[in-house]
Amino acid sequence: MPKRTWLREYFQQPELAFDYEASPHLVRQANLRAKIEPHAATQNFSTWPLNKTQSVALKVDNTVPPLKDAAAAAHTERHIAVVPATMTSWLAAHAAGTVDFDAAVQLFVPLPQPPVYDRARLYARTIDNVPEVVQALSQKQFAVMSETGRISEIQRQDVSLQLLVLVVGAGVFLFGVITVVSVLIDSTDRKRGTIGILRVMGMSRGGIFISILMRAAAIGFFAAAASVACGWGLAKGMEWVPPTHIWWLHWKPIMNVDLYPADWTIVAAGSLLCCCFGALLPAWRASRLDPFDAIVEGRFR
């Protein structure tokens, strides 16, 4: 296109412009009638060469009025062609190598961009999160290589093990409650005299009940602290890597143990509840004792 006269040519022929609804494959030429009128059979289409093997078909709009004078006709020998901005953007993208032209459908299609990183490794926090991570990546059209089937089988076995842990935990909790009940009943029987004296001095039945319950809560607090300390020590011991010169510890397995705050809370709450539930019956029996009978019976124990 001429560099300093195309604006003049445009303003001399404003009908060469397009609106927003124009087809991208439409072209208007300033010298249309003088150039293609002898070939009426092919005057409806023209081609725009993209390279040696590709060309896009453009529909020529014959509605451009003929030029009025010979000077203007000679001026149009520069072959000015006006196309919509969409077509110019596609041609610029094709020249930049970001799109390709499909001659079969006469459309510009984006070229597949080569990935910057064609392979990556993603680590899940735990083995239980691997299937969820694989599913999320698959939904985003990522190709994933993972032992998902084996991990799912391990998770099914883990569910059975969790059920076993719950059964064992419930048994331990029940055994702990029974132990606390038996210990506190024996303790309150041996302290009948003291309980009777406290009742005579003015302590109410509720005070006796709360005192024994607080005693059991103190036992549960120390039991929770001991349980947490033992669990933390066992976890650190399983993670510890023995030195190479200690040959007799090479059999030790090395495991990564994650202790979550919920685990600490369950252990501490279980210890406290075990002691508090076990103290209900002894505290109720101690609060129902007659003070004078308790003093008399306590003297003979």
Side-chain angles (χ1 to χ4, degrees):
M1 294 179 63
K3 294 186 177 179
R4 283 182 287 182
T5 59
W6 70 277
L7 280 176
R8 186 189 313 165
E9 190 75 34
Y10 172 75
F11 286 114
Q12 287 179 0
Q13 295 183 341
E15 64 275 359
L16 295 176
F18 292 95
D19 56 14
Y20 290 103
E21 298 180 356
S23 172
H25 293 79
L26 193 63
V27 60
R28 292 173 179 171
Q29 298 178 0
N31 58 345
L32 176 64
R33 294 198 177 270
K35 185 175 181 61
I36 66 174
E37 189 174 0
H39 306 282
T42 60
Q43 67 178 1
N44 291 331
F45 293 93
S46 180
T47 59
W48 190 294
L50 300 176
N51 49 42
K52 294 182 179 180
T53 59
Q54 291 181 334
S55 61
V56 56
L58 301 176
K59 183 178 180 181
V60 179
D61 188 358
N62 294 338
T63 60
V64 180
L67 300 178
K68 296 180 180 180
D69 52 3
H75 187 64
T76 59
E77 291 300 326
R78 287 187 295 266
H79 307 297
I80 296 177
V82 180
V83 296
T86 305
M87 175 58 68
T88 59
S89 64
W90 285 349
L91 295 175
H94 185 274
T98 58
V99 298
D100 194 10
F101 180 70
D102 190 349
V105 295
Q106 290 287 311
L107 292 176
F108 289 88
V109 293
L111 290 174
Q113 298 296 326
V116 179
Y117 302 101
D118 59 349
R119 184 175 299 178
R121 180 174 294 178
L122 182 64
Y123 291 94
R125 180 174 179 84
T126 63
I127 193 173
D128 297 330
N129 299 330
V130 172
E132 298 178 359
V133 174
V134 171
Q135 183 178 4
L137 292 176
S138 299
Q139 292 177 354
K140 296 182 178 293
Q141 306 300 322
F142 285 100
V144 183
M145 296 178 61
S146 176
E147 296 292 339
T148 309
R150 184 175 299 178
I151 293 174
S152 301
E153 183 180 355
I154 294 174
Q155 287 184 345
R156 288 192 294 269
Q157 295 179 356
D158 183 62
V159 172
S160 301
L161 292 176
Q162 288 181 358
L163 179 61
L164 180 61
V165 169
L166 289 176
V167 172
V168 173
V172 171
F173 185 83
L174 181 61
F175 179 77
V177 170
I178 295 174
T179 302
V180 172
V181 169
S182 61
V183 170
L184 289 181
I185 286 179
D186 181 70
S187 177
T188 53
D189 288 342
R190 287 187 288 105
K191 294 182 179 180
R192 282 175 174 266
T194 304
I195 295 173
I197 293 174
L198 292 175
R199 289 294 312 280
V200 171
M201 294 179 63
M203 181 174 287
S204 63
R205 292 182 175 180
I208 297 296
F209 184 89
I210 293 175
S211 64
I212 297 178
L213 193 64
M214 293 299 295
R215 181 183 177 187
I219 296 173
F221 176 78
F222 287 109
S227 300
V228 169
C230 291
W232 182 83
L234 289 174
K236 292 301 179 182
M238 298 178 70
E239 293 179 350
W240 176 64
V241 180
T244 55
H245 63 275
I246 307 180
W247 58 268
W248 51 275
L249 282 179
H250 290 173
W251 59 269
K252 175 188 171 297
I254 300 172
M255 302 177 62
N256 185 21
V257 181
D258 291 332
L259 295 177
Y260 299 100
D263 300 332
W264 305 101
T265 304
I266 291 174
V267 171
S271 300
L272 290 174
L273 291 176
C274 180
C275 293
C276 291
F277 286 161
L280 293 177
L281 179 61
W284 181 80
R285 289 187 57 185
S287 64
R288 305 299 298 178
L289 289 176
D290 183 83
F292 297 101
D293 294 340
I295 293 175
V296 174
E297 293 178 0
R299 295 178 60 185
F300 298 98
R301 287 182 178 270

